[in-house]
Amino acid sequence: MMNRNLKIGLASTVLFSIVLIFISFNNFLLFHTIAELFSILIAASTFLFLISTYNYHNNNFLIRLSIPLIFILIVDLLHTCAYKGMGIFNEDSANLPTQLWILARLISTIGILNAVLFFDRPVKPMRFFLSFTLLTGLTLTLVFLGLFPTCYIDGVGLTAFKIISEYVISGVLVLSGVLLYPKRKQLDPYVYRMISLFLLTSIISEIAFTFYVSVYGLSNLIGHIAKIFAFYFLGSAILETGLRKPYALLSQQLAKSNEQLRNEKEHLSEKVEEKTADIVQHMKELEKSQQQLQNYNDEITTLTYSISHDLRAPLRHTNGFLHMVMEQEKENISPKSLRHLEICLDSTQRMNELTTGLLELSRTTRKEINLEPINTESLVSLVIDALSESVQERDITFEVDPLPE
């Protein structure tokens, strides 16, 4: 069912058309001027309005429809001024306004087909505008230089080029409607109906303009009335999107943004859970590794303690017996043998110190380590003394630079 605004708009357009028809019976030139200015006014208002509200509706399809309107209204205005009887241009033939009519319809058809073919593709308004500026400028140059094909011959009527062009334009409009049908769900139902009615009335207008012989004839009248309705339907579609639909579109975009935010939040939560699980798993593995390391340390400590403890008893015996031999048999032992016994005694003493140090090392894992300063020079001297016995037969000299405290 038609909404209230559409009913009022259609009723007003019908009443306006009836008034124009009565005017045409008395002054066809005035009828033609008012009809063309009506279309020009709708084209200008819809173009300016849709461009100014582009950031709110962001509808690329309607932008592709609206930008050609500025060029259509320019050519239609020239067509109106050049119409036979206006006396604005020097040429009083009906060929020039007919050529301009065909040119305006070609621009309109190219814009419609472009909008349907590239329905979903983003448009760059300035580049699109410049493309139609170039197209319109070149074709107008051809018209005013007399290079555009003849469309009307006074006393004869329409040329074959004009009639064929109208049918080609009608065919392209039908094709546009067929191509738009599968994409109708991407448009608001009201907007789709208005675009469809625009295409239908445009086709009726084009076909009507294939029959007239006189520029003041009945088919010319029907063609202009159909054009008035066509521009009304196009203006309704564009104004519906630009005036009433931005709020709905903003609401849809907000809902879509909220949905994307919710999805991203859920995705982030899943990632956090995955990372948390990975961290927990790594911590468990680390604890297990630490426990294994502790077990190894305990085993090493036990083994070290056992070895050092078991070595000390034989060392004590060896040390004790060496002392007894040196004291009791001192008079009977040669100096050389006595020296050998002293070396053995020193070795057992150092061995005892090593086992004691090994025992102390094994205890470091069981108590807190206390750091203490050491005299590095004394430590190095002890090492040199320990090595002196093994290197005394070699020509080795130790040189030690001053060491830090």
Side-chain angles (χ1 to χ4, degrees):
M1 295 181 64
M2 293 189 296
N3 58 41
R4 183 172 177 271
N5 293 330
L6 178 58
K7 291 179 180 179
I8 295 175
L10 278 176
S12 301
T13 306
V14 170
L15 181 61
F16 178 71
S17 299
I18 293 173
V19 173
L20 285 181
I21 291 172
F22 278 107
I23 292 175
S24 70
F25 293 152
N26 297 288
N27 191 329
F28 192 90
L29 188 59
L30 178 60
F31 156 78
H32 177 266
T33 302
I34 295 174
E36 290 293 344
L37 289 178
F38 175 82
S39 302
I40 291 170
L41 180 62
I42 291 181
S45 59
T46 52
F47 168 78
L48 293 174
F49 188 80
L50 192 61
I51 290 296
S52 62
T53 58
Y54 175 68
N55 291 331
Y56 297 99
H57 60 78
N58 198 26
N59 192 314
N60 294 303
F61 171 69
L62 294 182
I63 284 291
R64 292 181 184 274
L65 280 181
S66 65
I67 286 180
L69 290 176
I70 189 66
F71 302 98
I72 294 170
L73 71 87
I74 291 173
V75 179
D76 275 344
L77 182 60
L78 291 173
H79 162 77
T80 304
C81 295
Y83 205 74
K84 188 175 183 179
M86 291 293 288
I88 297 177
F89 292 94
N90 293 329
E91 182 179 355
D92 196 31
S93 171
N95 181 51
L96 178 59
T98 307
Q99 288 176 320
L100 293 171
W101 168 268
I102 284 293
L103 178 57
R105 305 289 73 78
L106 286 172
I107 294 172
S108 175
T109 304
I110 292 172
I112 294 167
L113 185 61
N114 178 276
V116 174
L117 289 176
F118 303 103
F119 185 89
D120 298 321
R121 185 174 298 180
V123 60
K124 295 182 177 179
M126 184 52 66
R127 182 179 297 181
F128 198 63
F129 181 87
L130 292 176
S131 299
F132 274 88
T133 300
L134 180 62
L135 173 64
T136 306
L138 289 175
T139 50
L140 282 176
T141 301
L142 293 176
V143 169
F144 285 101
L145 288 178
L147 301 177
F148 197 83
T150 302
C151 294
Y152 186 87
I153 300 175
D154 292 326
V156 177
L158 301 174
T159 64
F161 171 78
K162 166 64 162 64
I163 295 174
I164 293 173
S165 297
E166 295 284 12
Y167 282 119
V168 170
I169 291 171
S170 299
V172 174
L173 292 175
V174 172
L175 176 63
S176 299
V178 172
L179 295 176
L180 183 62
Y181 181 78
K183 305 171 183 177
R184 65 190 185 282
K185 292 183 179 180
Q186 300 182 50
L187 290 172
D188 180 84
Y190 177 86
V191 174
Y192 174 72
R193 287 197 300 269
M194 292 298 100
I195 295 296
S196 299
L197 289 172
F198 162 72
L199 293 174
L200 177 61
T201 49
S202 295
I203 292 170
I204 294 173
S205 176
E206 298 302 326
I207 293 176
F209 281 110
T210 62
F211 296 113
Y212 71 90
V213 175
S214 170
V215 294
Y216 302 121
L218 177 62
S219 61
N220 205 311
L221 171 67
I222 295 173
H224 280 92
I225 294 296
K227 181 186 176 186
I228 288 173
F229 278 92
F231 272 79
Y232 164 74
F233 292 131
L234 179 62
S236 297
I238 293 176
L239 291 176
E240 173 73 12
T241 301
L243 185 61
R244 290 186 287 272
K245 294 303 177 183
Y247 300 103
L249 291 173
L250 286 174
S251 178
Q252 293 175 3
Q253 291 174 358
L254 181 60
K256 184 178 180 180
S257 298
N258 289 335
E259 181 65 22
Q260 291 177 346
L261 182 61
R262 185 162 48 251
N263 292 336
E264 291 176 358
K265 182 179 179 181
E266 292 176 356
H267 180 69
L268 182 60
S269 298
E270 292 176 357
K271 287 293 184 182
V272 170
E273 291 178 358
E274 292 177 1
K275 293 298 182 182
T276 303
D278 291 340
I279 292 173
V280 171
Q281 181 65 28
H282 289 320
M283 290 181 65
K284 290 181 179 179
E285 293 177 356
L286 181 60
E287 291 176 357
K288 183 178 179 181
S289 299
Q290 289 178 340
Q291 184 61 43
Q292 291 177 345
L293 181 60
Q294 183 62 39
N295 294 336
Y296 294 150
N297 287 335
D298 292 343
E299 292 177 1
I300 292 173
T301 300
T302 303
L303 179 61
T304 304
Y305 182 82
S306 176
I307 292 173
S308 62
H309 183 271
D310 292 343
L311 286 175
R312 295 185 75 181
L315 286 174
R316 284 196 302 267
H317 296 158
T318 303
N319 190 273
F321 285 123
L322 286 173
H323 275 289
M324 291 176 60
V325 170
M326 290 177 66
E327 291 178 357
Q328 295 177 5
E329 303 295 333
K330 185 176 182 179
E331 301 296 334
N332 300 324
I333 299 175
S334 65
K336 185 176 181 180
S337 297
L338 183 61
R339 176 57 182 163
H340 290 164
L341 289 175
E342 289 176 351
I343 292 174
C344 290
L345 188 61
D346 290 338
S347 298
T348 56
Q349 183 63 33
R350 285 197 299 272
M351 187 65 181
N352 184 60
E353 292 175 355
L354 289 174
T355 54
T356 302
L358 187 62
L359 184 61
E360 290 296 328
L361 179 62
S362 68
R363 292 171 180 170
T364 57
T365 58
R366 302 182 183 180
K367 62 181 180 179
E368 184 178 355
I369 298 177
N370 295 321
L371 300 179
E372 297 179 356
I374 61 172
N375 190 321
T376 53
E377 292 185 356
S378 299
L379 181 62
V380 172
S381 297
L382 291 175
V383 173
I384 293 175
D385 291 341
L387 294 174
S388 60
E389 294 293 338
S390 58
V391 299
Q392 61 181 355
E393 296 180 356
R394 305 177 188 177
D395 187 13
I396 296 176
T397 302
F398 293 98
E399 294 183 359
V400 182
D401 293 333
L403 299 174
E405 294 293 335

